[in-house]
Amino acid sequence: MNTQQQSLPTAIRECADAVAATASGIRGDQLGERTPCEKFTVAELLDHLGGTLTSSVRAADKQPQPDEAAATDMSPASVAESANRAAAAWGDPGAYEGTTEFGPGEMPAGFAATITLEELALHGWDLARATGRSFTISEEAGQVTLGAVEQIAEQARIRGSYGPPVPVPADAPAFHRALGASGRNPEWTG
């Protein structure tokens, strides 16, 4: 496990806890709200994030992914539970060894963990902002998230997952710089 991968389990757990706290507080009347991730309403983002986290657990456990993505209808409580399961799965040092199936195909297991962190952090923040909650992580977890976002930013922009970078001051917290690098405005309000 390289240095960044040594920090991933802790950052994943911290972001999963923040996602679980955020998701647990989402009310039914907020499901149609817009999110900073322009493709998704709150309900659609819950479905996306819950499905991704379910796949992440399979990736950490080195289980095959289903041939077709199952239609998901994720409640806030099921997303909170999925976040906790993903953090537990990536808490096992063996999860980072070798390759695994995740997303578009086979990849190094450590990279699947990096994507998991990025999904938890960015989409957790999206859900929090859309529903008027705070999404607070430590500077250490923010630094690991920034590294993850920077690692995948170019490919994510090509696929349309990230927008153009948003300028953020160089002395801003690492998580705010990660948000900007992913095309999100840290000051976004609905």
Side-chain angles (χ1 to χ4, degrees):
M1 198 184 275
N2 66 33
T3 304
Q4 182 184 4
Q5 286 178 343
Q6 290 173 353
S7 305
L8 277 170
T10 302
I12 288 171
R13 169 48 63 194
E14 189 174 331
C15 288
D17 289 346
V19 166
T22 297
S24 295
I26 294 174
R27 301 182 318 266
D29 65 329
Q30 294 176 311
L31 296 176
E33 297 291 327
R34 290 184 34 230
T35 70
C37 190
E38 294 180 6
K39 298 189 279 191
F40 299 118
T41 63
V42 169
E44 292 164 341
L45 188 53
L46 287 168
D47 291 346
H48 166 76
L49 183 56
T52 299
L53 293 174
T54 299
S55 293
S56 175
V57 170
R58 282 200 280 295
D61 292 342
K62 308 295 190 295
Q63 296 175 355
Q65 299 291 336
D67 289 335
E68 291 184 23
T72 56
D73 188 12
M74 299 294 252
S75 68
S78 61
V79 170
E81 184 179 312
S82 294
N84 285 320
R85 281 197 317 267
W90 289 108
D92 177 359
Y96 296 81
E97 296 173 7
T99 60
T100 192
E101 290 181 40
F102 189 49
E106 192 168 313
M107 63 182 63
F111 188 61
T114 297
I115 293 170
T116 299
L117 172 62
E118 173 263 350
E119 289 282 315
L120 284 164
L122 297 180
H123 288 320
W125 179 85
D126 291 335
L127 287 169
R129 292 304 282 205
T131 60
R133 288 172 181 67
S134 63
F135 189 85
T136 306
I137 59 173
S138 68
E139 184 63 16
E140 293 80 14
Q143 287 287 349
V144 179
T145 301
L146 177 59
V149 168
E150 289 175 338
Q151 182 179 352
I152 66 173
E154 185 177 331
Q155 283 301 314
R157 268 189 255 297
I158 290 169
R159 287 191 324 269
S161 300
Y162 285 4
V166 173
V168 176
D171 62 349
F175 186 55
H176 285 199
R177 296 193 319 268
L179 292 168
S182 74
R184 288 164 170 81
N185 179 350
E187 305 304 320
W188 185 91
T189 57

